[in-house]
Amino acid sequence: MKLRGKKATEILGQTVLWVILIASLLIFSVPFFFMITNSFEEFSYVLPYPPKLFPTRLDFSAYRHILSMDIFPTALANSVINTVITVVISVFVSTLSGFACIRFPGRDKLFAVYLFTLMMPGFLNIIPQFLVLKQLTLPGLPNGLIGTRAGLILIYVATNVCGPTFFLRNFF
């Protein structure tokens, strides 16, 4: 008897959980759907008033405009190169940091710094990051790493190492 009651409670709990998850999915998907459908509106209707969830007609002129720009292949290549290099370096450094099961002086303090950087809002780092990149000078670069691919990748890696390290350390 008790087994049957427990199963009914588990089924009810699972049903309520799935209803909440599906409702949340629908609610949080609306802005993404709105963004995608508005990309098919004419340029003058980027943010229509009143907001329309579905476009009145499909217009690919925005996509044609972007794809016809001379700078598009360069921008795409830069994005791919920056992303690939950042991901490779971030995964490498995060994996090495996550393997830090070995006891060494300052291990817990270093991990606390990682956790602190996860809690810090990103906009608070903009000015310090700029100052650090300006101070890092290389021959032939009078402004330091500002405006260079190396500077951009360095900032991306620095901001993307802490989270994966936290998860990998707990996993290992």
Side-chain angles (χ1 to χ4, degrees):
M1 259 321 207
K2 289 183 180 180
L3 184 64
R4 188 175 294 184
K6 187 175 181 180
K7 274 192 170 185
T9 306
E10 286 179 10
I11 291 172
L12 180 64
Q14 286 292 317
T15 305
V16 168
L17 176 68
W18 277 101
V19 166
I20 291 171
L21 288 174
I22 290 171
S24 300
L25 174 71
L26 293 175
I27 289 169
F28 291 115
S29 295
V30 169
F32 295 105
F33 184 73
F34 181 71
M35 178 181 63
I36 290 169
T37 57
N38 272 334
S39 71
F40 294 108
E41 291 286 342
E42 295 179 41
F43 279 135
S44 60
Y45 295 115
V46 172
L47 292 174
Y49 185 80
K52 295 184 280 185
L53 200 53
F54 297 102
T56 51
R57 65 181 182 89
L58 290 179
D59 183 17
F60 293 95
S61 62
Y63 291 100
R64 277 194 297 274
H65 175 71
I66 294 296
L67 292 173
S68 68
M69 294 176 73
D70 293 335
I71 198 167
F72 180 75
T74 305
L76 182 66
N78 283 337
S79 295
V80 169
I81 291 168
N82 291 343
T83 302
V84 168
I85 293 172
T86 300
V87 166
V88 168
I89 294 172
S90 295
V91 168
F92 180 73
V93 172
S94 297
T95 305
L96 290 179
S97 300
F99 270 122
C101 299
I102 303 166
R103 297 255 175 226
F104 61 89
R107 181 188 101 156
D108 293 332
K109 289 182 180 166
L110 179 65
F111 191 66
V113 169
Y114 274 24
L115 289 178
F116 177 72
T117 58
L118 283 174
M119 293 181 263
M120 175 90 53
F123 66 87
L124 292 179
N125 296 330
I126 293 173
I127 293 174
Q129 288 171 351
F130 175 81
L131 295 174
V132 167
L133 287 181
K134 191 170 177 85
Q135 299 275 325
L136 292 173
T137 57
L138 293 174
L141 297 174
N143 290 331
L145 292 178
I146 295 173
T148 64
R149 183 184 309 265
L152 185 64
I153 291 172
L154 181 66
I155 294 296
Y156 285 166
V157 169
T159 56
N160 290 327
V161 163
C162 300
T165 299
F166 175 72
F167 291 116
L168 287 172
R169 180 178 180 205
N170 291 325
F171 175 75
F172 293 142

